[in-house]
Amino acid sequence: RLSERLTRVASYVEKGSIVADIGSDHAYLPCYLVHQQIADKAVAGEVAKGPYESARKQVRAEQLQDYITVRFANGLQAIESEDHVDTVTIAGMGGPLIASILDQDIDRLKTVNRLILQPNIHAKAIREWALLNDWKLVAEEILQEDDKIYEILVLERGKMTLSPAELLLGPFLMVDRNDVFRKKWQKESAEWKRILEAIRVAELSKEVQMKKEEIEEKLTIVKEV
Ligand code: SAM
């Protein structure tokens, strides 16, 4: 059974898509997408030998070799132009890593019109990347599974503008403000307050002073929302 987290990621893949799942580990997501007849074909990309072998094994075990190509490749280099990939999924990594994977080989996204990204932390880095590269958010989701909180960001081509609050918290998520969202930002705020207190009792260097102001600004944003 697919985890709730990956099931929610899968729910944003449109029927008939050709998907590249980057950082695919066991290829659970592409296997699910093909089995459920959501994706017609898929590529599973992995940069690490162990997870690459697990992905190959899983695809063979499920007899999906005709539909899923597993490639040993760094990031978007797993995508070849003849794949005609229209949807890219990247899940289970930090936001900055996901953004850097997208940035590194951005030309591989030529045929792609939908990105479904699931950062474990720092989703803000993805929103910043999207703003700079003309992708716009069309949906966001926040969920909790096994005591961990995850965000899902769905992007399509287009321009958007985001306020500082929307950049940090997510334009859809901050309107929704569900229980998981509140819990996440209450936890983050508590951590920031702890840092501010530690800074207060320490000697203030210029760098630390700047960090302090940055945290205070974020606290104000979250409090207002
Ligand atoms: N996507 C799966 C999920 O959400 O359950 C696996 C997540 S796992 C924590 C992250 C995987 O991404 C690892 O298997 C790692 O080897 C792979 N990875 C990290 N950086 C990568 C890169 N630049 N290109 C391809 N795979 C990468």
Side-chain angles (χ1 to χ4, degrees):
R1 203 182 67 86
L2 199 64
S3 65
E4 169 74 2
R5 175 180 62 85
L6 287 179
T7 307
R8 294 308 306 151
V9 170
S11 77
Y12 294 99
V13 178
E14 291 180 332
K15 201 170 160 55
S17 296
I18 302 176
V19 178
D21 183 41
I22 306 300
S24 202
D25 199 351
H26 285 77
Y28 289 141
L29 181 59
C31 288
Y32 174 86
L33 289 169
V34 170
H35 267 315
Q36 298 291 315
Q37 297 178 336
I38 299 168
D40 287 350
K41 282 192 298 178
V43 172
E46 251 299 334
V47 78
K49 260 272 139 46
Y52 164 73
E53 293 299 345
S54 319
R56 278 178 58 103
K57 240 187 232 160
Q58 190 66 30
V59 169
R60 251 181 285 142
E62 300 199 30
Q63 300 196 321
L64 294 175
Q65 304 94 304
D66 291 348
Y67 305 94
I68 302 174
T69 309
V70 183
R71 293 209 180 102
F72 185 62
N74 184 8
L76 301 180
Q77 285 169 26
I79 303 173
E80 304 287 350
S81 56
E82 63 264 27
D83 297 331
H84 304 291
V85 166
D86 52 39
T87 303
V88 169
T89 55
I90 312 180
M93 305 173 209
L97 178 58
I98 294 177
S100 84
I101 287 174
L102 292 168
D103 226 25
Q104 233 171 47
D105 293 281
I106 206 162
D107 53 305
R108 301 274 175 145
L109 293 177
K110 262 188 210 117
T111 56
V112 175
N113 52 42
R114 177 169 273 232
L115 304 172
I116 306 164
L117 310 171
Q118 185 272 296
N120 295 338
I121 52 163
H122 296 306
K124 185 180 176 209
I126 294 175
R127 295 190 191 99
E128 281 167 342
W129 176 87
L131 277 174
L132 280 174
N133 292 284
D134 290 341
W135 288 82
K136 63 169 194 286
L137 283 160
V138 295
E140 290 176 310
E141 184 169 330
I142 189 163
L143 71 136
Q144 179 167 4
E145 187 176 45
D146 301 333
D147 246 27
K148 290 206 182 99
I149 293 176
Y150 304 104
E151 287 181 36
I152 299 170
L153 279 60
V154 185
L155 298 165
E156 287 181 358
R157 290 187 187 272
K159 287 190 192 298
M160 63 173 171
T161 52
L162 294 178
S163 68
E166 288 172 326
L167 192 60
L168 180 65
L169 306 173
F172 292 91
L173 299 176
M174 67 179 261
V175 169
D176 217 26
R177 272 188 276 168
N178 71 14
D179 289 349
V180 182
F181 175 89
R182 286 166 195 271
K183 188 169 169 186
K184 176 188 166 96
W185 292 107
Q186 276 160 8
K187 261 168 78 177
E188 294 270 349
S189 298
E191 176 63 10
W192 294 337
K193 284 179 189 158
R194 199 191 58 73
I195 295 170
L196 285 181
E197 181 55 23
I199 291 174
R200 198 184 62 77
V201 298
E203 191 96 333
L204 289 194
S205 70
K206 194 152 186 175
E207 239 167 68
V208 172
Q209 181 64 35
M210 275 167 59
K211 186 81 199 158
K212 179 170 173 270
E213 280 161 19
E214 187 194 317
I215 294 174
E216 280 168 347
E217 198 183 315
K218 288 195 289 189
L219 264 177
T220 310
I221 288 175
V222 172
K223 218 189 217 161
E224 277 171 11
V225 173

